[in-house]
Amino acid sequence: MGDTRPAVRDSAQHTGTDRRRAVAVALMLAMGLAALDSTIVSTAVPQIVADLGGFSVFSWLFSGYLLAVTVTLPVYGKLSDTFGRKPVLIVGAALFLLGSLLCALAWNMGSLIAFRIVQGLGGGALQGTVQTLAADLYPLEERPKIQSKLSTVWAMSAVAGPGVGGVLAAYADWRWIFLINLPLGAAALWLLARHLHEPRRESTSRPRIDWAGALTVFACGGALLTALVQGGVAWDWLSWPSITLLGTGVALIAALVLIERRAAEPIVPGWVWRRRTIAAVNLALGALGLLMVAPTVFLATYAQSVLGLAPVAAGFVVSIWTLSWPVSAAFSQHVYRRIGFRDTALLGMAAAAALLFAFPLLPYPGEAWQPTLLMLLLGAALGLFQLPLIVGVQSTVEWEERGTATASILFCRQTGQTLGAAVFGAVANGVLASRLGGAGDLDAVTHSLDSGTAAEPVRRAVADAVHAVYLGAAAAAAVAFVVLLVVAPRRFPVLKD
């Protein structure tokens, strides 16, 4: 009778590979849901407002979701390190789908905003835990492949979101932009429940949840991010709502430091900032979030108002960088294996800084291919920057710290984007005011351009405002470069898988 052990081993390996592929598909579905939901609502706003009313507060459909995602990232990161990735991801996905169903059933704008926040509470688990699980499932040499796939899914979903939302709102009903999440999310949940099997990890003590820290993170993040999102929009920066929210946020930061120092299992542990590698990457990705605001928020205005492009063509100019970003991210593994994580990221950010600085040097009004080419190259530069840092940080920590570390860098990137929207919005409006000799507002000026009532000096003013934003983004890129060069070690202290 022959020995059957090799056949049994081969069968087990095949089964393990199939399970990992199934889980990878589930992760891509979950990532696609999070990316799609961040953009799909935008083109359906007119139909939503016409049906539910509430035009004065509709911006909270986006702000509420963003706030909920951002403030929950550190909490989900710690919970996934304590209880495992599977329960956190399943609970988060279920909460996201519940919020989607409730959004489809909303009866007024207030209820829709509240249910969007419920969606965001689940979306924080999707974003952070998916990235962490990708590092758990794949060894260091294979992580760029899964990360580039996730980046591709994110890019495709984010680009497709406005188009899908517009089609559903125009030819079906705006409620379908939320109902479409249910079958996709159900498929992801089924794959996770069936195929994701985490190893049992013995614990000598009962896990203790830092509820005080979690609530303080919620309150602190909510106060500061609300001040940044609504300052200069819903109220003036020097008005009492802004001052109250900012003051409350600063006070809660101090309280959070005291609480976390005393907590047995802190939600935001001190080692996240004491370790040079993670602290440097946190700051660098915060700067990345800051500079990403220039192309994602202001380039569409430039393309339509200055170049005179139609909305579809302007959307192509903005989205072109999502094609080169994942390709460059996949290629980055060949670079960082030769020169290291930090130096690869420095190479990418140096190129990004040069490209952002080149934007204001474009001729006026210029041709559409010029900013399109810059955006294509910028996506390639940032793909070379971000992925090595994420993979590098995940490779320097043990399993029980990976969720917290991943959530920390994603939280800093999200916070940087929120800060960038506030700061660069103020910069753009300030340039407009100085060029036009009075109070300036980018939205109002671009509306006058769209209606054909504005003169050539207004177009010049819009170009100058966007150029100023790009110079600010170039400065943020320079800050990221210097932080990595000075703070991060040249060789990341990578642990064995």
Side-chain angles (χ1 to χ4, degrees), residues 38-70:
S38 64
T39 59
I40 195 173
V41 180
S42 58
T43 49
V45 166
Q47 289 80 8
I48 294 174
V49 171
D51 189 13
L52 301 181
F55 178 78
S56 61
V57 294
F58 83 87
S59 63
W60 274 100
L61 291 176
F62 310 98
S63 301
Y65 179 84
L66 174 65
L67 291 174
V69 169
T70 304

Side-chain angles (χ1 to χ4, degrees), residues 236-281:
D236 293 334
W237 282 108
L238 296 180
S239 62
W240 70 265
S242 283
I243 295 173
T244 301
L245 286 169
L246 290 172
T248 301
V250 171
L252 287 172
I253 289 176
L256 180 63
V257 171
L258 295 176
I259 292 170
E260 298 301 81
R261 283 182 175 178
R262 299 178 180 179
E265 296 289 340
I267 291 291
V268 185
W271 57 261
V272 167
W273 292 102
R274 287 195 297 267
R275 298 181 190 177
R276 286 178 58 196
T277 303
I278 303 176
V281 173

